Amino acid sequence: MTRRAISILGATGSIGASTLDLIRREAGKWRIVALTANANAVELAKLAREFSAEIAVVADEASLPALREALAGTGIAAAGGGGALVEAASRLADVTVAGIVGCAGLAPTMAAIEQGGTIALANKEALVSAGEVMTAAVARSGATLLPVDSEHNAIFQCLAGNDLAHVRWITLTASGGPFREWPLERLVRATPAEAVKHPNWSMGAKISVDSATMMNKGLEFIEAFHLFPVGAERLRIIVHPQSIVHSMVEYRDGSTLAQLGPSDMRVPIASALAWPERMDTPCAPLDLAAIGELTFRAPDEVLFPATRLAREAAEAGGAAPAVLNAANEVAVAAFLAGKLAFTAIAAQVEETLGRFAPPAPTSLAEVIAVDAEARYRTREMMEPA
Ligand code: NDP
């Protein structure tokens, strides 16, 4: 049997770990091309050795000597820097898992798309920032873009065999995050430690904060807007605290299809890795009798304005989603560093969007330039006067 070639961008992160856990269970079926990280050379080298990767790459060049040392004598190539990351991502692979966090994943994800294989996309910020540019590249290269985000993977499954023209609504479910029951007085004082403690999912720090502000759902709204072109007016968000229904599609005849599963990213990752087949996961079967109740309610966009901001950015189009994403990344980093109040994250994103409206980017280089300028301006606005 020919083994399928796979590259994992962001191998040392939460998505990387879940992917490698699945690969480990089917070791004979896969051949690892590239594994990448930002600066965690020790963990990356450990994984590269375990999985006999062709090449391991750290984006942060300062971490390259440590990576080289840890891989000495193994025959595994080691490289560092942004160019090396893009080169590794453009190596021929059947599947590339785009699991880098933030817009930093954009250039390597685009490089993987250009080589025309299957892209299992977790890195939502890349698609949010580069929407039209990325979808045009997918069409041009013939790459297959499979969503790994649990909501989009659910929608993808609910759409199978149906025509988008028959869709009445696509409904993204949101857990509501750890603060969904908190009043404003408490939200203002929310700490990074409280924000990263998600009730249902175990994820990296940035997406956990996005989940707490509901910006994660906002980014997912824009992601869905590009992946499933039914128009922003047919996309809805509903809060579903149990995170069992991962999203739904309602058709014009009144039928609603939903995908259900445990809150474990190995399920949507397995769906993308095996598509159009299925593969085993070690996840416990869904026990609905034990869960008992599935509840739903409308989101509160006064306390959590991020979904409104994202919807407005999607409707405005052009550079707005890239500006929203860049401002959010800067604000979340400042919050995690203890320099910004939790409620100031969305406020800062709104301020940046109000004060910076560049022309629509039409190429990868222009998206990267908008992203860089929006970051610079957001940092400037956040500096005490
Ligand atoms: P993590 O923070 O756990 O991991 C991020 C990965 O990206 C690490 O390998 C990290 O390397 C690497 N990385 C960070 N910064 C850079 C950079 N500047 N250049 C290159 N590589 C970098 O994130 P998650 O796994 O939680 O999330 C990854 C993506 O998947 C995000 O876009 C997120 O929104 C999305 N996603 C995640 C889900 C989850 O359950 N975790 C669910 C759905 C979507 P290093 O270890 O060296 O820092």
Side-chain angles (χ1 to χ4, degrees):
M1 187 181 67
T2 332
R3 290 186 300 163
R4 293 180 78 206
I6 184 166
S7 287
I8 302 168
L9 312 177
T12 50
S14 162
I15 289 290
S18 294
T19 307
L20 287 167
D21 180 71
L22 294 170
I23 302 277
R24 196 176 276 120
R25 292 162 199 275
E26 288 200 334
K29 294 189 180 166
W30 297 92
R31 177 171 67 79
I32 307 283
V33 181
L35 295 181
T36 82
N38 184 32
N40 193 348
V42 172
E43 177 64 14
L44 182 65
K46 194 168 132 239
L47 295 171
R49 281 171 176 264
E50 178 189 349
F51 290 93
S52 305
E54 260 174 39
I55 183 167
V57 183
V58 276
D60 171 30
E61 271 191 281
S63 305
L64 181 56
L67 182 66
R68 281 215 175 103
E69 194 185 318
L71 290 177
T74 60
I76 299 168
L85 188 59
V86 166
E87 189 282 322
S90 61
R91 290 189 177 208
L92 225 53
D94 297 303
V95 185
T96 301
V97 177
I100 292 175
V101 62
C103 202
L106 175 56
T109 301
M110 286 289 283
I113 289 171
E114 297 294 351
Q115 61 94 5
T118 293
I119 316 299
L121 182 77
N123 181 203
K124 63 190 89 185
E125 298 91 344
L127 182 58
V128 166
S129 299
E132 283 81 15
V133 170
M134 188 182 283
T135 46
V138 169
R140 203 173 47 241
S141 68
T144 304
L145 197 58
L146 297 177
V148 160
D149 222 345
S150 57
E151 295 75 4
H152 305 75
N153 186 268
I155 296 163
F156 180 76
Q157 295 195 49
C158 294
L159 285 171
N162 288 283
D163 192 327
L164 277 185
H166 299 313
V167 171
R168 186 185 284 164
W169 294 107
I170 289 180
T171 305
L172 293 155
T173 54
S175 71
F179 303 152
R180 62 180 174 245
E181 311 294 351
W182 288 29
L184 181 61
E185 315 79 77
R186 212 173 152 200
L187 280 182
V188 175
R189 296 190 308 274
T191 66
E194 290 168 329
V196 298
K197 224 186 292 155
H198 197 281
N200 307 345
W201 298 92
S202 157
M203 309 182 286
K206 194 263 177 182
I207 184 175
S208 298
V209 176
D210 284 346
S211 229
T213 60
M214 291 285 284
M215 184 56 90
N216 183 47
K217 215 46 56 181
L219 298 176
E220 289 176 3
F221 184 96
I222 302 174
E223 190 183 4
F225 177 78
H226 292 296
L227 288 172
F228 314 112
V230 293
E233 68 286 356
R234 291 185 186 274
L235 297 174
R236 301 191 295 195
I237 294 169
I238 195 164
V239 174
H240 166 47
Q242 296 83 12
S243 297
I244 296 296
V245 175
H246 296 300
S247 277
M248 301 173 245
V249 177
E250 182 177 327
Y251 290 93
R252 58 198 279 204
D253 57 6
S255 289
T256 296
L257 302 192
Q259 185 262 353
L260 283 70
S263 312
D264 188 320
M265 283 307 293
R266 289 176 297 183
V267 176
I269 293 171
S271 157
L273 292 185
W275 184 86
E277 305 289 328
R278 296 275 179 180
M279 67 190 274
D280 291 331
T281 69
C283 304
L286 198 57
D287 185 349
L288 286 175
I291 294 162
E293 250 192 351
L294 300 179
T295 58
F296 302 91
R297 63 170 189 245
D300 178 346
E301 290 195 335
V302 177
L303 267 187
F304 300 98
T307 49
R308 171 181 60 79
L309 296 175
R311 191 173 53 249
E312 288 169 2
E315 283 163 356
V323 173
L324 169 126
N325 179 69
N328 182 58
E329 286 194 31
V330 171
V332 169
F335 167 71
L336 284 170
K339 293 180 182 153
L340 196 71
F342 178 77
T343 42
I345 299 173
Q348 181 56 57
V349 172
E350 186 153 27
E351 186 181 348
T352 304
L353 278 164
R355 290 169 60 180
F356 181 48
T362 56
S363 65
L364 174 60
E366 286 178 14
V367 177
I368 290 172
V370 167
D371 175 76
E373 181 67 20
R375 280 167 198 271
Y376 174 78
R377 292 190 185 214
T378 304
R379 281 192 198 101
E380 236 184 14
M381 286 176 219
M382 280 174 14
E383 262 169 28

